[in-house]
Amino acid sequence: QLCQAIEECKRVILALPENSERQKDAVVRLIHLRLKLQELKDPDEDEPNIRVVLEHRFYKEKSKSVKQTCDKCSNIIWGLIQTWYTCTGCYYRCHSKCLPLVSRPCVRAKVSHQAEYQLSICPESGLDSQDYRCADTCPNACAGACVAAGGVPSEARQCDYTGLYYCSSCHWNDLAVVPARAIHNWDFEPRKVSRCSMRYLALMVSRPVLKLREINPLLFNYVEELVEIR
């Protein structure tokens, strides 16, 4: 029935005056019919609602209208015609087809087992210490692809939280407040961090793990609000 409706809609479009409002409405209807047909043909519809991968607990999403970006392949997730999953722990999201390729463990597990911050400000050690490879567990790191600063074959992007360099697939120039800068310099300006660091910082933000009077007691001499809180 959908195939017949699509063919009929095509004939209507060709018969209507060029660029008329009725023709535009018919084109929109044709798009919706094709999306519906693709959705019915989607073989991923039979996939389980829950998938566990590297401590991620992925749930199949039901939203069809929200446009997201896949954390694995960096391409758009078209909810109308593609099945996709979100991790309930760290909110990592990806296409159904990308699930078997996920190589980054769930950050929630790290927060549960090791709830602490890197407290050195951007502890850079240089690209050579990483053997010119992405610092994350992505295919670029496994395959030994360079992340040379010249942008060939991938731009090297530094994470202000870890000080390490990442490829553009693992570092999307997300912005986050870096705890070390806040504690040592009372600097809350968001800095560019990797995807992994961004998710870790987001999960850690409400955890009371910073003993400020031990880490930087001099800060109380300069920030009046801290004195009042103490």
Side-chain angles (χ1 to χ4, degrees):
Q1 288 177 338
L2 276 172
C3 290
Q4 291 175 359
I6 288 171
E7 292 304 317
E8 179 61 29
C9 201
K10 288 180 182 178
R11 286 194 289 270
V12 169
I13 291 171
L14 292 174
L16 289 169
E18 192 73 21
N19 295 323
S20 65
E21 289 301 319
R22 289 182 61 194
Q23 189 187 57
K24 291 177 182 177
D25 291 340
V27 170
V28 171
R29 175 164 172 73
L30 177 62
I31 292 171
H32 283 299
L33 287 170
R34 282 179 168 170
L35 288 173
K36 184 63 178 175
L37 182 62
Q38 182 64 44
E39 185 179 7
L40 291 176
K41 289 181 177 180
D42 190 352
D44 296 334
E45 287 300 310
D46 295 330
E47 293 197 5
N49 290 324
I50 303 174
R51 300 279 293 275
V52 178
V53 181
L54 294 178
E55 298 190 70
H56 292 282
R57 191 170 178 83
F58 286 108
Y59 276 78
K60 186 162 69 172
E61 290 288 353
K62 300 185 183 302
S63 174
K64 299 293 185 182
S65 59
V66 180
K67 189 171 73 172
Q68 303 284 0
T69 304
C70 177
D71 279 300
K72 182 59 191 174
C73 68
S74 305
N75 291 322
I76 296 295
I77 298 173
W78 299 101
L80 278 169
I81 59 175
Q82 293 177 319
T83 303
W84 56 292
Y85 287 79
T86 299
C87 174
T88 57
C90 66
Y91 306 107
Y92 186 103
R93 62 179 63 90
C94 66
H95 297 102
S96 171
K97 64 181 181 181
C98 293
L99 269 181
L101 305 175
V102 172
S103 56
R104 184 185 304 156
C106 181
V107 179
R108 172 73 70 178
K110 182 180 177 181
V111 171
S112 301
H113 304 150
Q114 185 185 0
E116 59 183 18
Y117 286 117
Q118 162 64 255
L119 295 180
S120 298
I121 297 177
C122 197
E124 181 181 6
S125 54
L127 264 173
D128 56 338
S129 66
Q130 298 177 208
D131 197 22
Y132 297 92
R133 300 181 184 181
C134 175
D136 208 341
T137 53
C138 70
N140 288 342
C142 300
C146 298
V147 287
V152 180
S154 178
E155 176 190 3
R157 296 178 178 177
Q158 187 180 32
C159 172
D160 197 81
Y161 174 65
T162 64
L164 299 175
Y165 288 89
Y166 300 80
C167 66
S168 56
S169 296
C170 300
H171 193 318
W172 297 3
N173 289 327
D174 295 301
L175 297 175
V177 174
V178 178
R181 293 186 182 276
I183 292 169
H184 296 300
N185 299 333
W186 206 241
D187 178 4
F188 291 88
E189 181 182 350
R191 311 286 173 137
K192 293 179 180 179
V193 297
S194 68
R195 295 293 290 173
C196 187
S197 295
M198 186 269 293
R199 295 191 185 282
Y200 183 75
L201 293 172
L203 291 173
M204 284 285 289
V205 70
S206 61
R207 287 177 171 258
V209 298
L210 294 170
K211 297 179 180 180
L212 197 56
R213 292 168 72 173
E214 296 179 13
I215 299 170
N216 188 9
L218 292 177
L219 200 58
F220 289 90
N221 297 334
Y222 300 99
V223 183
E224 184 178 345
E225 292 84 354
L226 287 179
V227 178
E228 294 178 8
I229 291 171
R230 183 178 61 180

